[in-house]
Amino acid sequence: MEEHCIDDFLRVRDDWLTRLKILRAGHGSSLFPSETQVISFTEYLVSGQRNDTDPKMKNGSWAIPLDLHMPSDARVDFAYFPTHIAVAWLVLAAEMFPLLARRIKGFDSALRAGLRFSSLKNFQGHGYDSNRESLVAVNLLALGKVFSYVRKRRDSFMRFWEAMNRLEFDIVHRYPHDDGWTSTDALERQRALALLRGGDALDSRIVPDIHREWRDCQFRAYSNHIITILAKRYAETAVKPLADACLASLDTARSAFDSIEKPSVFLSKYWRIVESEDLFCVKLPSLRGFIAEVIDQASYLEWLPSYSEYQFLHSSRNEIEHSTYEALQTALCDSGVMCNEEYNPIISSLAVGETGEVSITIKVKG
């Protein structure tokens, strides 16, 4: 498989997974699909089930690549995982929209074949990752409440039921003793057991994880937006007291620069840049008020809890320090505070304290 194809396959698989997560946990949001959208994607999956793969691969999968000449690890990623996702969607869609299965031709046979294919390897992965990938398979199927669905209909899906029991036995008796490359996390094993035993039907076990994932993803985008605006506004206000502090220490800075040994020859086409040691520290106003102002003006993001300036400061302090450093350094250079000197002040370090106070260390270079 060519590299660009693999990226395409991943995009398809991740798109299916996102749709499944939204169907399971997106109630009350603008993202939650309408019944028409659910029917449309379900029809797409039913019509797209692979019944052209035997004898290279059993029929009934949702293998994404048309060409099945791929290594076993790729089959896990691009045949079994997509099948787990598709099966989970079909079960969840049927449970949430009971009339849907009757309206879509071939739904029952597609689900039955998908469940059979999904269980062919007893949910195992490949090679050293086999154990870990089996736990991933459990999480994917649990999004659709597949284990609870099969438990109620075990006589109709005996192959899947037996695979569930076999995996449960392995998780309890074999996985804890596997170490090295094949080791698995104890908490992940506990979670998988709970899901296999019917915990997949509990939103309290499934939905918070999805919301947390969305919240974290959205918070990163939200915080980056806030921090960019924050750093710019803070620099506009703080650059004057910073420049004043530099001017007040002009004699100290000049003496420090004059004492640096400087090269007397050209290196390439440029003079060598020289820097002094740290000269002095400047205390600047707190960021807290600026954070509160920017947060108040920012648009609210779905599934994102409101953050106080204190919470935001502590959750994003490293990013705030970096952006504020860059913005203040640019503003200080643009201020021309030492335009008549042969050196420039530069910020050696910037630290944000517990309550948002900003401490800056200055040195000079030229």
Side-chain angles (χ1 to χ4, degrees), residues 7 30 80 152 243 289 320 326 332:
D7 290 339
S30 60
Y80 281 94
K152 297 174 186 175
I320 289 172
E326 295 286 343
L332 184 60

Side-chain angles (χ1 to χ4, degrees), residues 313-331:
L313 172 63
H314 282 264
S315 63
S316 305
R317 186 183 300 179
N318 289 339
E319 294 83 359
I320 289 172
E321 287 181 344
H322 175 75
S323 294
T324 304
Y325 171 91
E326 295 286 343
L328 264 175
Q329 180 61 64
T330 299

Side-chain angles (χ1 to χ4, degrees), residues 87-315:
V87 165
W89 173 279
L90 295 183
V91 170
L92 188 60
E95 292 285 281
M96 297 178 74
F97 300 89
L99 298 179
L100 178 143
R102 301 178 194 172
R103 298 172 61 177
I104 297 178
K105 184 180 179 180
F107 180 94
D108 289 334
S109 59
L111 176 57
R112 187 172 296 277
L115 284 166
R116 184 179 64 251
F117 184 92
S118 186
S119 62
L120 284 178
K121 294 180 59 174
N122 302 318
F123 315 116
Q124 296 297 317
H126 171 75
Y128 288 128
D129 292 324
S130 178
N131 295 352
R132 286 187 291 276
E133 287 174 342
S134 70
L135 301 184
V136 174
V138 170
N139 287 328
L140 293 175
L141 290 161
L143 287 169
K145 308 182 185 181
V146 176
F147 302 119
S148 296
Y149 180 85
V150 171
R151 282 182 177 277
K152 297 174 186 175
R153 303 163 178 83
R154 65 183 70 177
D155 292 338
S156 300
F157 304 107
M158 283 304 299
R159 179 67 189 82
F160 196 95
W161 170 252
E162 290 168 359
M164 286 170 54
N165 290 334
R166 194 168 293 116
L167 179 57
E168 183 174 332
F169 178 89
D170 285 344
I171 292 174
V172 173
H173 299 286
R174 183 168 65 81
Y175 285 15
H177 305 292
D178 288 344
D179 55 15
W181 294 101
T182 59
S183 65
T184 51
D185 180 76
L187 290 177
E188 289 297 319
R189 295 197 302 270
Q190 264 185 351
R191 172 182 168 81
L193 281 176
L195 297 176
L196 279 166
R197 292 168 176 172
D200 61 335
L202 302 174
D203 283 347
S204 60
R205 190 175 291 277
I206 297 287
V207 172
D209 289 341
I210 298 173
H211 283 181
R212 192 176 303 113
E213 175 188 324
W214 284 337
R215 182 196 66 193
D216 291 345
C217 179
Q218 290 184 320
F219 180 71
R220 284 192 294 273
Y222 172 83
S223 62
N224 288 339
H225 173 66
I226 294 293
I227 289 168
T228 300
I229 299 173
L230 169 67
K232 182 180 178 182
R233 290 189 184 175
Y234 185 79
E236 290 171 352
T237 301
V239 69
K240 187 179 186 311
L242 180 58
D244 290 344
C246 291
L247 287 172
S249 304
L250 190 62
D251 290 340
T252 301
R254 186 181 292 121
S255 297
F257 187 76
D258 289 342
S259 67
I260 301 173
E261 183 179 349
K262 303 174 182 64
S264 58
V265 295
F266 282 103
L267 294 178
S268 298
K269 297 180 180 180
Y270 305 99
W271 287 105
R272 180 183 293 164
I273 300 298
V274 293
E275 296 183 358
S276 72
E277 298 294 328
D278 292 343
L279 299 181
F280 55 92
C281 184
V282 181
K283 298 287 187 182
L284 294 178
S286 172
L287 281 160
R288 286 279 292 273
F290 291 86
I291 295 173
E293 177 186 344
V294 175
I295 287 177
D296 286 343
Q297 294 174 0
S299 57
Y300 175 77
L301 291 175
E302 242 175 335
W303 290 306
L304 186 64
S306 59
Y307 282 83
S308 69
E309 65 272 19
Y310 179 82
Q311 291 171 315
F312 189 89
L313 172 63
H314 282 264
S315 63

Side-chain angles (χ1 to χ4, degrees), residues 38-92:
V38 173
I39 291 173
S40 176
F41 187 64
T42 305
E43 289 175 335
Y44 164 79
L45 289 178
V46 170
S47 64
Q49 189 175 38
R50 299 293 296 274
N51 293 304
D52 60 344
T53 55
D54 209 2
K56 294 177 184 175
M57 183 186 294
K58 294 288 187 183
N59 286 335
S61 77
W62 276 269
I64 296 173
L66 292 177
D67 181 7
L68 298 177
H69 289 289
M70 52 181 159
S72 297
D73 57 342
R75 287 196 178 195
V76 173
D77 283 325
F78 303 124
Y80 281 94
F81 282 176
T83 300
H84 298 329
I85 294 168
V87 165
W89 173 279
L90 295 183
V91 170
L92 188 60

